[in-house]
mmCIF file of all heavy atoms in Angstrom:
data_model
loop_
_atom_site.group_PDB
_atom_site.id
_atom_site.type_symbol
_atom_site.label_atom_id
_atom_site.label_comp_id
_atom_site.label_asym_id
_atom_site.label_seq_id
_atom_site.Cartn_x
_atom_site.Cartn_y
_atom_site.Cartn_z
ATOM 1 N N PRO U 274 -3.561 16.236 -16.332
ATOM 2 C CA PRO U 274 -4.167 16.116 -15.268
ATOM 3 C C PRO U 274 -3.640 14.861 -14.487
ATOM 4 O O PRO U 274 -2.796 14.243 -14.839
ATOM 5 C CB PRO U 274 -5.659 15.677 -15.705
ATOM 6 C CG PRO U 274 -5.403 14.939 -17.053
ATOM 7 C CD PRO U 274 -4.100 15.756 -17.574
ATOM 8 N N ASN U 275 -4.142 14.772 -13.162
ATOM 9 C CA ASN U 275 -3.749 13.617 -12.301
ATOM 10 C C ASN U 275 -2.286 13.512 -12.013
ATOM 11 O O ASN U 275 -1.616 12.496 -12.458
ATOM 12 C CB ASN U 275 -4.271 12.319 -12.840
ATOM 13 C CG ASN U 275 -5.661 12.157 -12.870
ATOM 14 O OD1 ASN U 275 -6.251 12.569 -11.894
ATOM 15 N ND2 ASN U 275 -6.310 11.790 -13.925
ATOM 16 N N VAL U 276 -1.631 14.645 -11.663
ATOM 17 C CA VAL U 276 -0.234 14.724 -11.380
ATOM 18 C C VAL U 276 -0.083 14.999 -9.908
ATOM 19 O O VAL U 276 -0.848 15.939 -9.312
ATOM 20 C CB VAL U 276 0.450 15.822 -12.222
ATOM 21 C CG1 VAL U 276 1.916 16.041 -11.719
ATOM 22 C CG2 VAL U 276 0.594 15.187 -13.709
ATOM 23 N N VAL U 277 0.886 14.338 -9.136
ATOM 24 C CA VAL U 277 1.264 14.646 -7.818
ATOM 25 C C VAL U 277 2.660 15.060 -7.853
ATOM 26 O O VAL U 277 3.565 14.266 -8.227
ATOM 27 C CB VAL U 277 1.023 13.502 -6.921
ATOM 28 C CG1 VAL U 277 1.461 13.911 -5.571
ATOM 29 C CG2 VAL U 277 -0.525 13.141 -6.809
ATOM 30 N N LEU U 278 3.012 16.233 -7.331
ATOM 31 C CA LEU U 278 4.434 16.740 -7.257
ATOM 32 C C LEU U 278 4.822 16.686 -5.845
ATOM 33 O O LEU U 278 4.079 17.272 -5.013
ATOM 34 C CB LEU U 278 4.592 18.131 -7.773
ATOM 35 C CG LEU U 278 4.144 18.372 -9.309
ATOM 36 C CD1 LEU U 278 4.438 19.814 -9.740
ATOM 37 C CD2 LEU U 278 4.996 17.524 -10.235
ATOM 38 N N GLY U 279 5.937 16.117 -5.570
ATOM 39 C CA GLY U 279 6.426 16.104 -4.112
ATOM 40 C C GLY U 279 7.032 17.453 -3.918
ATOM 41 O O GLY U 279 7.050 18.430 -4.563
ATOM 42 N N ARG U 280 7.455 17.685 -2.605
ATOM 43 C CA ARG U 280 8.192 18.878 -2.214
ATOM 44 C C ARG U 280 9.354 19.153 -3.071
ATOM 45 O O ARG U 280 10.147 18.458 -3.437
ATOM 46 C CB ARG U 280 8.605 18.772 -0.820
ATOM 47 C CG ARG U 280 7.430 18.844 0.231
ATOM 48 C CD ARG U 280 7.980 18.156 1.591
ATOM 49 N NE ARG U 280 7.894 16.863 1.511
ATOM 50 C CZ ARG U 280 6.792 15.996 1.805
ATOM 51 N NH1 ARG U 280 5.764 16.572 2.317
ATOM 52 N NH2 ARG U 280 6.824 14.698 1.816
ATOM 53 N N SER U 281 9.517 20.599 -3.327
ATOM 54 C CA SER U 281 10.593 21.086 -4.096
ATOM 55 C C SER U 281 10.918 20.499 -5.458
ATOM 56 O O SER U 281 12.035 20.322 -5.888
ATOM 57 C CB SER U 281 11.950 20.901 -3.269
ATOM 58 O OG SER U 281 11.774 21.450 -1.987
ATOM 59 N N CYS U 282 9.883 20.081 -6.162
ATOM 60 C CA CYS U 282 10.004 19.681 -7.528
ATOM 61 C C CYS U 282 10.096 20.820 -8.429
ATOM 62 O O CYS U 282 9.427 21.813 -8.189
ATOM 63 C CB CYS U 282 8.834 18.785 -7.998
ATOM 64 S SG CYS U 282 8.885 17.147 -7.246
ATOM 65 N N SER U 283 10.770 20.649 -9.504
ATOM 66 C CA SER U 283 10.754 21.779 -10.458
ATOM 67 C C SER U 283 10.596 21.238 -11.877
ATOM 68 O O SER U 283 11.203 20.301 -12.292
ATOM 69 C CB SER U 283 12.171 22.540 -10.339
ATOM 70 O OG SER U 283 13.225 21.772 -10.814
ATOM 71 N N ILE U 284 9.699 22.041 -12.616
ATOM 72 C CA ILE U 284 9.286 21.501 -13.975
ATOM 73 C C ILE U 284 9.746 22.668 -14.961
ATOM 74 O O ILE U 284 9.293 23.878 -14.785
ATOM 75 C CB ILE U 284 7.769 21.356 -14.092
ATOM 76 C CG1 ILE U 284 7.261 20.495 -12.874
ATOM 77 C CG2 ILE U 284 7.505 20.683 -15.461
ATOM 78 C CD1 ILE U 284 7.776 19.064 -12.970
ATOM 79 N N GLY U 285 10.567 22.384 -15.917
ATOM 80 C CA GLY U 285 11.289 23.414 -16.783
ATOM 81 C C GLY U 285 10.212 23.985 -17.874
ATOM 82 O O GLY U 285 9.095 23.289 -18.059
ATOM 83 N N ALA U 286 10.611 24.916 -18.652
ATOM 84 C CA ALA U 286 9.963 25.557 -19.545
ATOM 85 C C ALA U 286 9.417 24.553 -20.664
ATOM 86 O O ALA U 286 10.176 23.786 -21.192
ATOM 87 C CB ALA U 286 10.633 26.707 -20.091
ATOM 88 N N GLY U 287 8.040 24.533 -20.965
ATOM 89 C CA GLY U 287 7.702 23.741 -22.183
ATOM 90 C C GLY U 287 7.599 22.334 -21.846
ATOM 91 O O GLY U 287 7.232 21.477 -22.674
ATOM 92 N N ALA U 288 7.878 21.770 -20.680
ATOM 93 C CA ALA U 288 7.834 20.417 -20.357
ATOM 94 C C ALA U 288 6.402 19.989 -20.187
ATOM 95 O O ALA U 288 5.514 20.887 -19.857
ATOM 96 C CB ALA U 288 8.578 20.168 -19.060
ATOM 97 N N ILE U 289 6.048 18.822 -20.498
ATOM 98 C CA ILE U 289 4.816 18.236 -20.304
ATOM 99 C C ILE U 289 4.678 17.019 -19.376
ATOM 100 O O ILE U 289 5.332 16.071 -19.541
ATOM 101 C CB ILE U 289 4.095 17.877 -21.645
ATOM 102 C CG1 ILE U 289 4.083 19.093 -22.546
ATOM 103 C CG2 ILE U 289 2.709 17.222 -21.519
ATOM 104 C CD1 ILE U 289 3.563 18.768 -23.953
ATOM 105 N N VAL U 290 3.937 17.316 -18.249
ATOM 106 C CA VAL U 290 3.847 16.042 -17.316
ATOM 107 C C VAL U 290 2.370 15.704 -16.993
ATOM 108 O O VAL U 290 1.602 16.474 -16.729
ATOM 109 C CB VAL U 290 4.454 16.541 -15.943
ATOM 110 C CG1 VAL U 290 4.464 15.313 -14.888
ATOM 111 C CG2 VAL U 290 5.793 17.026 -16.048
ATOM 112 N N ARG U 291 2.112 14.398 -17.311
ATOM 113 C CA ARG U 291 0.713 13.995 -17.322
ATOM 114 C C ARG U 291 0.564 12.710 -16.430
ATOM 115 O O ARG U 291 1.587 11.880 -16.519
ATOM 116 C CB ARG U 291 0.146 13.646 -18.706
ATOM 117 C CG ARG U 291 0.238 14.729 -19.715
ATOM 118 C CD ARG U 291 -0.450 14.380 -20.984
ATOM 119 N NE ARG U 291 -1.845 14.250 -20.943
ATOM 120 C CZ ARG U 291 -2.501 13.060 -20.919
ATOM 121 N NH1 ARG U 291 -1.808 11.918 -20.905
ATOM 122 N NH2 ARG U 291 -3.814 12.963 -20.812
ATOM 123 N N GLU U 292 -0.445 12.541 -15.759
ATOM 124 C CA GLU U 292 -0.861 11.299 -15.089
ATOM 125 C C GLU U 292 0.329 10.667 -14.407
ATOM 126 O O GLU U 292 0.560 9.349 -14.552
ATOM 127 C CB GLU U 292 -1.304 10.304 -16.259
ATOM 128 C CG GLU U 292 -2.523 10.781 -17.016
ATOM 129 C CD GLU U 292 -3.770 10.725 -16.268
ATOM 130 O OE1 GLU U 292 -3.863 10.052 -15.267
ATOM 131 O OE2 GLU U 292 -4.804 11.411 -16.833
ATOM 132 N N SER U 293 1.113 11.419 -13.547
ATOM 133 C CA SER U 293 2.395 10.983 -13.010
ATOM 134 C C SER U 293 2.318 11.300 -11.598
ATOM 135 O O SER U 293 1.783 12.292 -11.088
ATOM 136 C CB SER U 293 3.538 11.495 -13.612
ATOM 137 O OG SER U 293 3.613 11.056 -15.157
ATOM 138 N N VAL U 294 3.153 10.517 -10.779
ATOM 139 C CA VAL U 294 3.521 10.874 -9.369
ATOM 140 C C VAL U 294 4.979 11.118 -9.233
ATOM 141 O O VAL U 294 5.872 10.121 -9.615
ATOM 142 C CB VAL U 294 3.070 9.760 -8.483
ATOM 143 C CG1 VAL U 294 3.384 9.995 -7.050
ATOM 144 C CG2 VAL U 294 1.475 9.539 -8.651
ATOM 145 N N PHE U 295 5.481 12.191 -8.871
ATOM 146 C CA PHE U 295 6.834 12.470 -8.468
ATOM 147 C C PHE U 295 6.914 12.554 -6.942
ATOM 148 O O PHE U 295 6.083 13.184 -6.282
ATOM 149 C CB PHE U 295 7.168 13.919 -9.173
ATOM 150 C CG PHE U 295 7.211 13.857 -10.464
ATOM 151 C CD1 PHE U 295 6.959 12.903 -11.314
ATOM 152 C CD2 PHE U 295 7.546 15.257 -11.148
ATOM 153 C CE1 PHE U 295 6.998 12.944 -12.841
ATOM 154 C CE2 PHE U 295 7.614 15.210 -12.532
ATOM 155 C CZ PHE U 295 7.316 14.265 -13.306
#
Side-chain angles (χ1 to χ4, degrees):
N275 295 313
V276 168
V277 175
L278 301 178
R280 285 161 282 266
S281 305
C282 284
S283 64
I284 315 294
I289 300 176
V290 181
R291 308 179 68 256
E292 305 284 345
S293 295
V294 175
F295 291 1

